[in-house]
Amino acid sequence: VLVDDDSPRWVAASMEDVAAASGVSVSTVSRALRGGTNVKTATVERVLEAAARLGFVASPTASSLATGKVKRIAVLIGAPLTEWFSGVILDRIYRVLRENGFDLLVYRVHDREERDAFFTSLPARRNADALIVASFTLTDAEQEVLGRMRTPLVYLSQHVTAHSSVGIDDAAGAAAATRLLLSLGHTRILYGRSAAQPGFSWSARDRYLGYTGELDAAAAASAPVAAPVSRGLVEFPAGPGFGTLVAGALLAGRLPAAIVMETDELAMQLLLALARQGVRVPEDVSVVGFDGHQQAEAFGLTTIAQPADELARRAAELAVALARGGGDETAHPVTIELPTTLVLRSTTRAPG
Amino acid sequence: VLVDDDSPRWVAASMEDVAAASGVSVSTVSRALRGGTNVKTATVERVLEAAARLGFVASPTASSLATGKVKRIAVLIGAPLTEWFSGVILDRIYRVLRENGFDLLVYRVHDREERDAFFTSLPARRNADALIVASFTLTDAEQEVLGRMRTPLVYLSQHVTAHSSVGIDDAAGAAAATRLLLSLGHTRILYGRSAAQPGFSWSARDRYLGYTGELDAAAAASAPVAAPVSRGLVEFPAGPGFGTLVAGALLAGRLPAAIVMETDELAMQLLLALARQGVRVPEDVSVVGFDGHQQAEAFGLTTIAQPADELARRAAELAVALARGGGDETAHPVTIELPTTLVLRSTTRAPG
DNA sequence: CTGTTAGCGCCTTCAA
DNA sequence: TTGAAGGCGCTAACAG
């Protein structure tokens, strides 16, 4: 009988091929290929050599089916990947995962539609060993759905009862920004925030509360001896071209003034708009940002920097630990709160 | 005999549970759960209802092992995820993949160390149905390693023989920028580029060639009637604080001058530095950027915009098609070249 | 230290 | 249109 010649010209080598080539069983090949526990060193070398020669790599899929672990960690991110914060945390999370042999899976959940799609089809289900939830606030219903998934969870920038989380104290940061302006002698201190998604994020809420809280405290402490500090809220509509709006809101009152901005991104747009209007910073207006955006330095922006990189690293490490653990690690949730830093640059100074 | 009571309190439902609940076999459940081909509509509904009630979702891992497809597409990206271009393309690729039911896997391959690690351990091996290679130039050796992987490949911003690719004509874009300055009447036109990784990327090389080529062409066409255009190359060291260097290089010559910048990012840093030095733009210096960076508009930067979003979309669509195909789709590689656009804003004008 | 024996959970012929 | 049986490629006991 002639051999059927439509045998494959070049198939990827299988584990059995490697076993045959190194004169051992597939079990031994399997053991040797991943760490070589309980295998004679000489055998390990022989197997590794054969595998390399044949260009064999074990199928992650088959391993996963057998072990129940997929060696993948997913990040559920509530913002476009184009945003500064998204980039920073994904980049850092990626590096931690890679160091530990995990792959990075990304799920973007920005608008209502994407959220609904994610939470109904749950593509991360049984598809990752742990999930990092970043940059957005879940509704209670969404939290419950995630809980049902039985995948270990780590929250980034959000505290959720009975789950591990890492974040900063947004209110304290905004209070520090406000305190700086007060200490410089400002008596007209505004707060500028995005009008995009009011009340959507806890961070946004806490930052504003930090600002008002600090002003309240100052008023209580100094009254009735000192003059009251005037306040004001400026909402920035989404999209470009808000320059005139900004000018209107700021210039409507007397100058000099000071303003605490919800984010550095908004603060930088404000600086550009003010420059275009001929308003001098910090002579006429003092500006403090929040975030520690990479570009803030180029703008000379005074800001409350959050350790985004470190937040991401800690979250990723927690996720790795949970991914390795049994799975029912609902015990021992860890809460990490990292400090913000006041970075003094050239957009703030005493009035007049 | 008593039933052993350490049976799990709540296990995720299995396919058999769904089968039992809907009175059919697992085969039918399997068919019903994905599309319901060759299954009576009523049966499909019954199965779907049972699955929903039990909260069952098929294991992607097990499906993958059986079908040979992992429903995942990997992006190999040669830059930090914090960069503008990385964010833009990941964001767009993500959306295309999701629409088509694919998950996004990210591999960052920035420095030499990460590259070596990736190309020796090949974590994407057997782990994605297609691979998009973006933002960096592979060596021949690396290309061959990827080829061996037998995973369909799509190149973004790089042409590779016998593989699909999508990109722009960098040289033509830079030439257009140069032509704009020439047509405005500039006679001193410099080129500014990053000193970070000279010769590392084809884009960088082609852009510079576009600039010199256009000047050569202009010289050939007008000589000997017109005065020669003077040129110059300014290299920007990586990191912040190059302001003084920039000023030195630019102000060393006579003003007004014009400069074509390799990237918008560099151009924006230049604008900030010039402003700090009191150099007026565009009165003293005209600046043209390259990329179509999101922030360029806020800076009023004239630029050569590349359709990053569209590039990513096309690359992702090609990848999806290849991922669905048999696998030996080495046939019919597609090459797509998208046009750049000159975006005229306020950093350019006639000298004097 | 190494081989043998069962699955992991799903999809896919093949029959009915 | 449905069910039964086998296998995808690997790992995990359990013997030896």
Side-chain angles (χ1 to χ4, degrees):
Chain A
V1 181
L2 288 177
V3 173
D4 186 0
D5 195 54
D6 72 1
S7 59
R9 297 98 210 284
W10 176 270
V11 284
S14 73
M15 210 155 186
E16 295 184 34
D17 296 333
V18 178
S22 44
V24 294
S25 70
V26 291
S27 305
T28 302
V29 172
S30 173
R31 285 185 283 246
L33 250 32
R34 81 207 118 84
T37 341
N38 290 349
V39 186
K40 201 194 296 174
T41 312
T43 310
V44 173
E45 284 170 3
R46 207 145 27 90
V47 171
L48 256 37
E49 186 277 325
R53 186 156 41 77
L54 273 53
F56 175 81
V57 176
S59 155
T61 302
S63 301
S64 296
L65 189 57
T67 62
K69 303 272 181 196
V70 294
K71 283 302 231 170
R72 234 172 287 137
I73 288 178
V75 175
L76 184 56
I77 192 161
L81 309 186
T82 49
E83 284 190 6
W84 164 78
F85 193 74
S86 303
V88 172
I89 66 170
L90 283 181
D91 199 78
R92 169 52 93 188
I93 289 171
Y94 172 78
R95 281 179 287 164
V96 174
L97 299 195
R98 200 94 289 290
E99 281 166 11
N100 290 280
F102 284 83
D103 282 331
L104 168 63
L105 213 48
V106 178
Y107 294 103
R108 180 193 123 139
V109 183
H110 186 45
D111 52 37
R112 175 51 50 199
E113 192 181 352
E114 282 183 346
R115 283 175 91 125
D116 291 344
F118 180 87
F119 284 99
T120 60
S121 77
L122 244 16
R125 181 80 172 279
R126 307 224 240 167
N127 211 5
D129 298 327
L131 183 57
I132 298 175
V133 181
S135 293
F136 76 118
T137 303
L138 296 173
T139 65
D140 290 347
E142 289 169 341
Q143 272 177 39
E144 204 202 308
V145 172
L146 286 192
R148 246 194 247 310
M149 246 171 64
R150 347 207 107 248
T151 298
L153 253 38
V154 175
Y155 288 90
L156 183 44
S157 295
Q158 178 182 186
H159 294 285
V160 172
T161 321
H163 283 289
S164 290
S165 69
V166 0
I168 58 168
D169 187 336
D170 285 284
T178 310
R179 205 175 313 125
L180 165 68
L181 295 172
L182 284 169
S183 73
L184 286 173
H186 282 280
T187 54
R188 181 163 175 253
I189 302 179
L190 311 178
Y191 186 84
R193 73 177 178 200
S194 165
Q197 302 166 326
F200 183 63
S201 119
W202 292 110
S203 292
R205 197 203 53 161
D206 288 349
R207 289 180 189 184
Y208 183 60
L209 290 180
Y211 157 81
T212 56
E214 186 65 22
L215 288 187
D216 290 344
S222 65
V225 291
V229 173
S230 80
R231 353 184 147 183
L233 179 61
V234 184
E235 297 221 316
F236 293 79
F242 62 47
T244 53
L245 260 165
V246 169
L250 271 180
L251 303 179
R254 65 179 193 285
L255 294 182
I259 185 164
V260 176
M261 300 295 288
E262 184 181 83
T263 67
D264 280 353
E265 207 143 2
L266 224 47
M268 293 186 288
Q269 290 187 260
L270 173 64
L271 291 178
L272 288 169
L274 288 176
R276 222 172 281 145
Q277 313 262 346
V279 178
R280 295 167 306 163
V281 173
E283 290 81 358
D284 300 327
V285 176
S286 279
V287 178
V288 187
F290 200 126
D291 273 346
H293 193 295
Q294 193 185 17
Q295 285 214 31
E297 183 177 1
F299 279 80
L301 178 65
T302 292
T303 188
I304 302 298
Q306 63 169 311
D309 196 74
E310 184 69 8
L311 290 172
R313 186 176 72 74
R314 303 292 286 270
E317 285 171 352
L318 282 176
V320 166
L322 289 174
R324 290 209 172 109
D328 39 32
E329 308 295 298
T330 45
H332 311 308
V334 181
T335 299
I336 297 174
E337 187 162 272
L338 265 30
T340 54
T341 321
L342 170 60
V343 181
L344 218 46
R345 287 195 276 245
S346 52
T347 55
T348 41
R349 79 166 201 197
Chain B
V1 180
L2 289 177
V3 173
D4 187 359
D5 195 55
D6 72 0
S7 57
R9 296 98 210 283
W10 177 270
V11 283
S14 74
M15 210 155 184
E16 295 185 36
D17 296 334
V18 178
S22 43
V24 293
S25 70
V26 291
S27 308
T28 301
V29 172
S30 173
R31 286 186 280 247
L33 249 31
R34 88 206 108 84
T37 341
N38 289 351
V39 186
K40 200 193 297 174
T41 311
T43 311
V44 172
E45 284 170 1
R46 206 144 30 89
V47 170
L48 257 36
E49 186 277 324
R53 186 156 42 77
L54 273 52
F56 174 80
V57 176
S59 155
T61 302
S63 302
S64 295
L65 189 59
T67 61
K69 303 273 181 195
V70 295
K71 284 301 231 168
R72 234 172 287 137
I73 288 179
V75 175
L76 184 55
I77 192 160
L81 308 186
T82 50
E83 285 191 5
W84 165 77
F85 193 74
S86 303
V88 172
I89 66 170
L90 283 180
D91 199 78
R92 169 52 94 185
I93 289 171
Y94 173 78
R95 279 179 288 163
V96 173
L97 299 195
R98 200 94 290 290
E99 281 166 11
N100 289 280
F102 284 84
D103 282 331
L104 168 64
L105 213 48
V106 178
Y107 293 103
R108 181 192 121 139
V109 183
H110 186 43
D111 51 38
R112 175 49 53 197
E113 192 181 353
E114 283 183 344
R115 282 175 91 125
D116 291 345
F118 181 87
F119 284 99
T120 61
S121 77
L122 243 18
R125 180 80 171 280
R126 306 226 240 166
N127 211 4
D129 298 327
L131 183 57
I132 298 174
V133 181
S135 292
F136 76 121
T137 303
L138 296 173
T139 64
D140 290 346
E142 289 168 342
Q143 272 177 39
E144 203 203 309
V145 172
L146 286 193
R148 245 195 249 310
M149 246 172 64
R150 345 206 108 252
T151 299
L153 254 37
V154 175
Y155 287 90
L156 183 45
S157 294
Q158 179 182 187
H159 293 285
V160 172
T161 320
H163 283 290
S164 291
S165 68
V166 0
I168 58 168
D169 188 336
D170 285 285
T178 311
R179 205 175 313 126
L180 165 68
L181 296 172
L182 283 169
S183 74
L184 286 173
H186 282 280
T187 55
R188 181 162 176 253
I189 303 179
L190 311 177
Y191 186 85
R193 73 177 178 200
S194 165
Q197 303 166 324
F200 182 62
S201 118
W202 292 109
S203 292
R205 198 203 53 160
D206 288 348
R207 290 180 189 185
Y208 184 58
L209 290 181
Y211 157 80
T212 57
E214 186 65 22
L215 287 187
D216 290 344
S222 64
V225 292
V229 172
S230 80
R231 355 182 145 183
L233 180 61
V234 185
E235 297 221 316
F236 294 79
F242 62 44
T244 53
L245 260 164
V246 169
L250 271 180
L251 303 180
R254 65 179 192 286
L255 293 181
I259 185 164
V260 176
M261 300 295 289
E262 184 181 84
T263 67
D264 280 353
E265 206 143 2
L266 226 44
M268 292 186 288
Q269 291 187 262
L270 174 64
L271 290 178
L272 288 169
L274 289 176
R276 223 173 281 145
Q277 313 263 344
V279 180
R280 294 167 308 161
V281 173
E283 289 81 358
D284 300 327
V285 176
S286 278
V287 179
V288 187
F290 199 128
D291 273 346
H293 193 296
Q294 193 185 16
Q295 286 214 30
E297 183 178 1
F299 279 80
L301 178 65
T302 293
T303 188
I304 303 296
Q306 63 170 311
D309 196 74
E310 184 67 7
L311 290 172
R313 186 176 70 75
R314 302 292 286 270
E317 284 171 353
L318 283 176
V320 166
L322 289 173
R324 290 208 171 111
D328 39 31
E329 309 293 300
T330 45
H332 311 307
V334 181
T335 300
I336 297 174
E337 187 162 272
L338 266 29
T340 55
T341 319
L342 170 60
V343 181
L344 217 46
R345 289 196 275 243
S346 52
T347 55
T348 42
R349 79 165 200 198

